[in-house]
């Protein structure tokens, strides 16, 4: 019976990691694949390597938090660990059914908190710290990107050329000693752009691994049936399988998540959101990459769109309508001063408040449902 339960637990953990790999690969490498900088196969390989690196280094702190600080390790019996992972898997199914990216980290913490409340072992100080960062981090992400969008983004857009020329990026001269050279039409700026795009995508993959490896295996590590090293390898392998299989669809979906943004905007969003998640992972806080990235998108768009009004007018609500088109504006070499009208900021393809509200609703719903159902299960059955 124990062996069967262990197999079930390993299977559920692999399922969670598999889905994480499928969704996170599209978020991290969507801009790079969409701009023909890397192939899908290369994206999957880089995602696997850097997610594993993130889990092996920074991610250990998150595993320790979720596997023994929110509730004592003694509470993670094998059956209880499987129960917690089951709720994470259900949350993934719910989010996929409604087309909303659920926060796996928040859902997993909710399930563990439900176990703690049911057994009267919840570390309230740790839980309060985690929830506090859940509130503070998205707000900070919004304002950092709002400042970038209002004061920095237009100048980056005017100075950087994030486009690919036709033909190979690099060629090899084989007439003598093989020597690499820039391909036909390739400029040094373009080469730098490609390296920047790939580097940021790898950074995003590292951050995703640091944050999400714990979601798949922390309960099993806490129960003692897996060592932390074995858990990281299991989760990293499952993420890799997801990256090489179901992630191909998310990479194809140009209109979803970060890939609907202009390349420059996507790189800004990826850099800021990955930095926040990497920092939180380093201090042992489970946090949602999807939440941070979305708040970065909204903040960057708000800051970009409010350049046509003064700061005081923007705070009083006199800003133009927020739009994806505002991020796509190409001001050329001349950037309009703040407060002056700019025809490039016409509000088209508006952010849909209803869709935004639905996403936020599910972000709150999935961890709440996870916590409540976990509490009911562990209160009714001693696992």
């Amino acid at each position: 019976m124990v062996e069967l339960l262990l197999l079930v637990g390993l299977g559920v953990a692999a399922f969670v990691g598999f889905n994480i790999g499928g969704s996170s690969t599209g978020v991290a490498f969507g801009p790079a694949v969409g701009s023909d900088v890397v192939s899908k196969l290369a994206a999957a390989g880089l995602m696997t390597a850097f997610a594993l690196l993130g889990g092996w280094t920074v991610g250990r702190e998150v595993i320790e938090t979720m596997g023994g600080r929110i509730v004592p390790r003694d509470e993670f019996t094998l059956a209880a660990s499987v129960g917690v992972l089951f709720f994470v898997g259900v949350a993934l199914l719910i989010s996929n059914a409604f087309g909303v990216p659920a926060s796996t980290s928040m859902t997993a913490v909710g399930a563990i908190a439900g176990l703690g409340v049911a057994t009267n072992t919840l570390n309230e100080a740790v839980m309060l710290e985690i929830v506090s960062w859940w509130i503070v981090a998205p707000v900070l992400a919004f304002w950092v990107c709002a400042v970038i969008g209002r004061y920095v983004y237009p100048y980056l857009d005017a100075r950087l050329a994030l486009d690919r020329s036709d033909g190979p990026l690099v060629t090899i001269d084989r007439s003598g000693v093989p020597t690499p050279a820039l391909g036909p039409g390739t400029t040094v700026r373009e080469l730098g752009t490609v390296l920047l795009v790939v580097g940021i995508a790898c950074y995003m993959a590292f951050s995703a691994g640091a944050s999400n490896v714990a979601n798949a295996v922390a309960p099993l590590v806490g129960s003692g049936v897996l060592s932390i090293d074995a858990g990281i390898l299991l989760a990293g392998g499952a993420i890799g399988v997801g990256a090489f299989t179901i992630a191909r669809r998310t990479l194809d979906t140009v209109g979803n998540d970060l890939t609907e943004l202009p390349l420059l905007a996507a790189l800004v969003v990826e850099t800021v959101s990955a930095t926040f998640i990497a920092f939180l992972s380093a201090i042992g806080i489970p946090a949602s990459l999807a939440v941070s990235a979305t708040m970065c998108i909204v903040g960057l768009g708000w800051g970009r769109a409010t350049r046509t009004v003064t700061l005081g007018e923007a705070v009083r609500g006199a800003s133009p309508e927020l739009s994806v088109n505002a991020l796509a504006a190409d001001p050329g070499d001349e950037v309009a001063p703040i407060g002056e009208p700019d025809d490039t900021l016409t509000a088209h393809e508006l952010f849909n408040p209803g869709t935004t509200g639905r996403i936020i609703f599910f972000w709150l719903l999935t961890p709440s449902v996870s916590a409540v159902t976990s509490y009911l299960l562990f209160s009714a059955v001693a696992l």
Side-chain angles (χ1 to χ4, degrees), residues 73-303:
R73 288 181 178 270
D74 295 343
E75 296 300 323
F76 285 111
T77 63
L78 181 55
S81 300
V82 173
V84 168
L85 290 172
F86 170 78
F87 291 120
V88 178
V90 168
L92 288 171
L93 290 176
I94 292 175
S95 64
N96 289 334
F98 286 92
V100 176
S103 169
T104 312
S105 297
M106 295 169 68
T107 303
V109 170
I112 295 171
L115 168 64
V117 173
T119 57
N120 198 29
T121 58
L122 179 67
N123 189 327
E124 296 178 356
V126 172
M127 194 65 202
L128 179 61
E129 182 184 9
I130 292 172
V131 173
S132 298
W133 275 111
W134 284 354
I135 297 172
V136 171
V139 174
L140 290 177
F142 171 88
W143 281 109
V144 167
C145 281
V147 170
I148 293 174
R150 183 173 171 84
Y151 298 105
V152 180
Y153 184 91
Y155 297 95
L156 292 176
D157 197 26
R159 300 292 183 265
L160 297 180
L162 299 184
D163 296 316
R164 281 294 315 274
S165 60
D166 295 331
L169 186 69
V170 177
T171 59
I172 304 295
D173 183 1
R174 303 181 185 278
S175 58
V177 178
T179 305
L182 294 179
T186 302
T187 64
V188 174
R189 174 184 288 188
E190 181 184 347
L191 179 61
T193 295
V194 169
L195 295 177
L196 176 66
V197 170
V198 175
I200 290 176
C202 292
Y203 179 41
M204 190 80 162
F206 174 90
S207 177
S211 174
N212 285 316
V213 161
N215 298 326
V217 297
L220 294 178
V221 172
S223 69
V225 300
L226 279 180
S227 68
I228 190 168
D229 289 349
I232 293 172
L233 290 175
L234 171 63
I239 289 173
V241 173
F244 277 99
T245 54
I246 59 174
R248 302 180 72 86
R249 289 188 176 182
T250 63
L251 289 169
D252 271 333
T253 309
V254 178
N256 283 345
D257 299 330
L258 300 182
T259 57
E260 69 179 325
L261 299 174
L263 183 56
L264 174 60
L267 296 181
V268 171
V269 167
E270 287 187 341
T271 302
V272 175
S273 59
T275 299
F276 271 100
I277 297 303
F279 166 74
L280 293 176
S281 299
I283 62 175
I285 302 296
S288 170
L289 186 61
V291 171
S292 294
T294 300
M295 292 307 295
C296 285
I297 292 171
V298 177
L300 186 64
W302 183 85

Side-chain angles (χ1 to χ4, degrees), residues 9-42:
L10 293 175
V12 176
F15 171 76
V16 173
F18 176 76
N19 280 276
I20 290 171
S23 60
S24 297
T25 303
V27 174
F29 285 91
V33 172
S35 58
D36 295 324
V37 170
V38 297
S39 65
K40 293 177 185 177
L41 186 63

